[in-house]
Amino acid sequence: TVGSDGSCQYISITEASFNAPGSDELIIRVAKNYSLNSLQVLDDRDTTIRGGYDVCTDTTASGKTVLDGGGSNTIFVVTEAASTTERTNLKLIDLEITGGSSNTSGGVISLKGSWFLGLTNVYMHHNTSNQNGGAIYVEASADPSVLPPNVNVRVNSIISNNSADNGGAIAC
């Protein structure tokens, strides 16, 4: 669990992503008291980031956790996924993501290669990019044998009031 109270295992999503024990899928629970201080780098393994926990000891989510980039950084950074047989899953659940900013592409996140991004009950707003995708940018790998990326926006997810030179919300 990521948050700022004493019962939390990790103080950042990056720390949880790289230090949590190995598993088929990493589940990172984010408490509402978590304060985003810098961009978050994610390991290239299947990951679910779920917000909405009041404190780190809560077992049931209610509402959303706010991740506010403060207008100074992309929120999430991932490496290119290069699988030819299966996608690397990144699922974002019960989050409000705002204030992401990129000088390149993807104010919240830029995905290249065989990524699957799933949004469930996520509100992305007021994110910016100087190039492509105010919120999300997806790009196929230069290697044609690598699976293309896939984005699934569902269940009460809203992407609004984002800006970029191309694709205010999502560009691909």
Side-chain angles (χ1 to χ4, degrees):
T1 306
V2 175
S4 63
D5 64 80
S7 63
C8 303
Q9 295 168 290
Y10 303 103
I11 59 170
S12 74
I13 294 169
T14 298
E15 183 185 19
S17 181
F18 285 94
N19 294 301
S23 62
D24 289 339
E25 178 184 11
L26 174 61
I27 299 174
I28 301 173
R29 299 176 343 147
V30 184
K32 292 177 185 175
N33 62 20
Y34 175 64
S35 179
L36 187 67
N37 295 319
S38 63
L39 63 89
Q40 301 300 294
V41 180
L42 301 177
D43 196 4
D44 60 349
R45 62 174 162 165
D46 289 349
T47 302
T48 296
I49 300 173
R50 177 182 287 261
Y53 298 92
D54 289 329
V55 294
C56 288
T57 55
D58 279 354
T59 57
T60 304
S62 63
K64 292 182 174 113
T65 296
V66 176
L67 301 179
D68 187 344
S72 60
N73 287 309
T74 295
I75 306 292
F76 297 113
V77 174
V78 297
T79 59
E80 179 176 352
S83 175
T84 58
T85 58
E86 60 185 36
R87 288 185 175 83
T88 303
N89 297 301
L90 175 58
K91 300 173 189 169
L92 305 178
I93 303 169
D94 297 333
L95 297 169
E96 179 179 341
I97 305 173
T98 188
S101 179
S102 173
N103 288 327
T104 57
S105 296
V108 172
I109 191 167
S110 178
L111 302 170
K112 184 173 184 178
S114 55
W115 282 97
F116 168 83
L117 175 63
L119 306 179
T120 302
N121 197 30
V122 172
Y123 178 32
M124 288 186 182
H125 63 94
H126 296 97
N127 300 288
T128 62
S129 166
N130 289 341
Q131 292 182 16
N132 305 301
I136 300 168
Y137 178 66
V138 293
E139 178 182 358
S141 174
D143 181 346
S145 67
V146 171
L147 292 172
N150 185 319
V151 177
N152 186 332
V153 180
R154 51 186 278 227
V155 189
N156 298 322
S157 291
I158 300 170
I159 303 175
S160 69
N161 293 313
N162 298 282
S163 63
D165 289 347
N166 298 299
I170 302 174
C172 45

